[in-house]
Amino acid sequence: MAETPHTQLDTQKKISFSIWPPTQRTRDDVVQRLIESHSSPSIFSKRYGTLTKEEASDIARRVEEGAFTFAGSSASSDDNEFEIVHAYNGVYSKEISKRMLDAVKSISAATTTTEDDSGPWEPL
């Protein structure tokens, strides 16, 4: 049976492409990149310090999960499909960046405070 333009159109309608929610593989890749960028020499580690792989892994997983949950609850069902996808992906990536930065800043501040609290200051 030869395909007619009508059956080709029906076939094309059945194909769907979705970028939200991200696949588990994509989410795992995000976590791995966060771990790598914070547990090895990078712009982030130069500024905020290098985390151990265990610290980076724990923080990265919590950050990604929190960002995913937050993004999933942020779009309105009244939005059109394009706006929903844009909102999800924009919120997801912004939340990951914000949450990871907050985490490394707090660790950096705690480390700096601990180093600064080595004893009372005495003038020379």
Side-chain angles (χ1 to χ4, degrees):
M1 180 171 149
E3 281 196 20
T4 65
H6 180 67
T7 57
Q8 287 176 347
L9 184 59
D10 287 344
T11 302
Q12 290 174 352
K13 285 182 182 178
K14 293 177 185 174
I15 298 171
S16 69
F17 179 74
S18 176
I19 58 175
W20 188 266
T23 64
Q24 188 60 49
R25 181 177 177 197
T26 300
R27 294 179 65 194
D28 291 343
D29 286 346
V30 167
V31 170
Q32 286 307 311
R33 285 190 182 96
L34 290 171
I35 293 167
E36 289 170 18
S37 65
H38 292 11
S39 65
S40 59
S42 68
I43 292 171
F44 299 109
S45 64
K46 286 179 185 175
R47 180 160 186 153
Y48 300 107
T50 304
L51 302 174
T52 66
K53 286 242 185 224
E54 293 77 25
E55 288 175 315
S57 178
D58 181 51
I59 292 168
R61 291 183 195 295
R62 285 186 287 132
V63 162
E64 191 284 330
E65 182 65 36
F68 178 79
T69 301
F70 184 81
S73 66
S74 67
S76 166
S77 60
D78 296 336
D79 294 336
N80 70 39
E81 190 172 326
F82 175 77
E83 290 171 340
I84 291 171
V85 169
H86 181 69
Y88 281 145
N89 287 316
V91 170
Y92 178 64
S93 59
K94 284 180 186 176
E95 277 298 305
I96 287 172
S97 297
K98 178 182 152 295
R99 290 169 185 249
M100 198 67 192
L101 188 58
D102 289 347
V104 294
K105 279 183 176 179
S106 75
I107 291 170
S108 177
T111 303
T112 303
T113 302
T114 302
E115 290 171 1
D116 291 345
D117 290 342
S118 58
W121 181 77
E122 295 181 5
L124 296 174

